[in-house]
Amino acid sequence: MTYIIITILILITIFLLIRLSIIDKKLKEIVNYTTELLNGNYTHRIIKKEKGNFAILIENLNTLAEKLEARRLDWEEKDILLDILFEGIKEGLVITKKDGEIIKFNNRIKEIFPMTPFQPKRTIQELFINKSFIEFSTSKPELGRIESLELDIPEMGKFFFISRFYVEKNQLIFYLFNDITDSKNLKRIKSEFITNLSHEIRTPLTAIKGYLEAIEEPDINKEDRKKFLKIVRENIERLTNIVSDLLLLSDIERQERKLKTEKIDLNGLAREVILLFRKTAENKGIQLEFSPSKIPEYYGDGFLLQQLLINLMSNAVRFTEKGRVEVSINFENGRFYIMVSDTGIGIPSDEIPRIFERFYTVDKSRSKTQGGTGLGLSIVKHIVQLHQGEIKVESKLREGSKFTVILPAIQSKSLHQ
Ligand code: ADP
């Protein structure tokens, strides 16, 4: 009897041991599975071959893994979208904690501040040393309001419009850096232009008014009257020149790529323009020289190229008292070289970069008395740009100047693109 009981107990124990080892094996499998889940591997699954509670547990774990995988894909997609948004905007974007510590930024911000060693864990105040910015970024952020600051950083030669927005839910501050240097410069150029223009127009108008009043005096003698009338006429001419140069300049600027291109014989064009200056040159005792060379026809805007040559020739003749003015046109390696040189007063080397600016004249009084408007070379520069060319200046004081316009031999079609 005892033997039977012992045998039954042994059998039960063996059965239980086998059962326990099976359970242990299953538990190990489940532990491995949950470890995989913890490590972020949500694609792993246990094939169900169980019944009862184990089957429920495995099914629940499989569903959990499926849900986690779906959420991961969702997050990945959101991350990609966020990255696209981050890098797609033209503004520099920085996200900081409430205390200013940087936690994320886009590549644009690194372009804006190339000298700043940009890293997370630094504070936004370390971007650049600027009192207003430090005050702005350390002030308590206002809830539900976009705060902004316009900043001039002369060391960088830049203007920024900086805005920030506080998100209370996750205690983050979003900073947007908008580089507005170009639009600020444009505004400055516009206002400088208007100031210059007003000045350029007011001067001849004041002269006209003053001399007309003098002419109206009852006791004015005939000789003075003649002299004053001449001055009035000269000033009216000056105003007319300014207005027509301005109209041409704005026409060229607006016209942009809508050039009226045609086949042009540049030699013929130069001959026509030289004729316009023959008399003035003769009166001044200056020689005008032009020896045509064998060049192909050029595609360009005939009217504008004529203006270009007139402006360069007019300067050469005006700023030369003795010697000669020479025009030459050559063709080399697919480029036309139009050269106008003179033996005149020359241009100081530090003034050369400025002579293409509107209304810029080296010697104001001299240019004006000789009918200059200060717009001639701005017009030339625009015409050259419209023809996709470049202009070079060489000059020596009291020895003379040489202006070379280089135009690529392009087909009419490409000038319109
Ligand atoms: P302006 O109507 O005064 O000639 P431009 O724009 O044509 O205006 O030229 C700007 C300035 O550049 C002139 O006022 C002059 O000081 C200088 N300049 C241009 N061409 C010459 C030249 N050939 N020789 C000397 N100075 C020149």
Side-chain angles (χ1 to χ4, degrees), residues 280-340:
T280 325
E282 245 173 52
N283 290 344
K284 287 180 95 175
I286 305 169
Q287 260 178 287
L288 280 188
E289 289 173 13
F290 172 59
S291 37
S293 61
K294 226 175 143 15
I295 51 168
E297 276 175 323
Y298 173 71
Y299 273 101
D301 190 310
F303 170 73
L304 292 183
L305 287 167
Q306 188 186 41
Q307 284 299 314
L308 175 144
L309 263 179
I310 289 177
N311 289 359
L312 290 179
M313 284 283 295
S314 143
N315 282 349
V317 172
R318 262 190 305 133
F319 295 108
T320 303
E321 295 311 328
K322 60 177 193 307
R324 60 178 196 286
V325 169
E326 198 184 329
V327 182
S328 73
I329 305 172
N330 292 302
F331 183 74
E332 230 181 271
N333 296 331
R335 288 154 160 238
F336 290 88
Y337 292 80
I338 304 173
M339 193 193 76
V340 178

Side-chain angles (χ1 to χ4, degrees), residues 116-154:
T116 311
F118 224 91
Q119 291 151 1
K121 290 270 174 218
R122 285 184 164 243
T123 63
I124 186 111
Q125 290 81 24
E126 288 174 77
L127 268 187
F128 51 87
I129 312 287
N130 181 286
K131 199 168 159 264
S132 314
F133 180 67
I134 291 177
E135 270 169 25
F136 175 69
S137 57
T138 48
S139 65
K140 194 167 175 271
E142 280 187 48
L143 259 179
R145 214 174 76 85
I146 297 176
E147 298 162 273
S148 58
L149 169 76
E150 207 173 296
L151 204 63
D152 173 14
I153 311 177

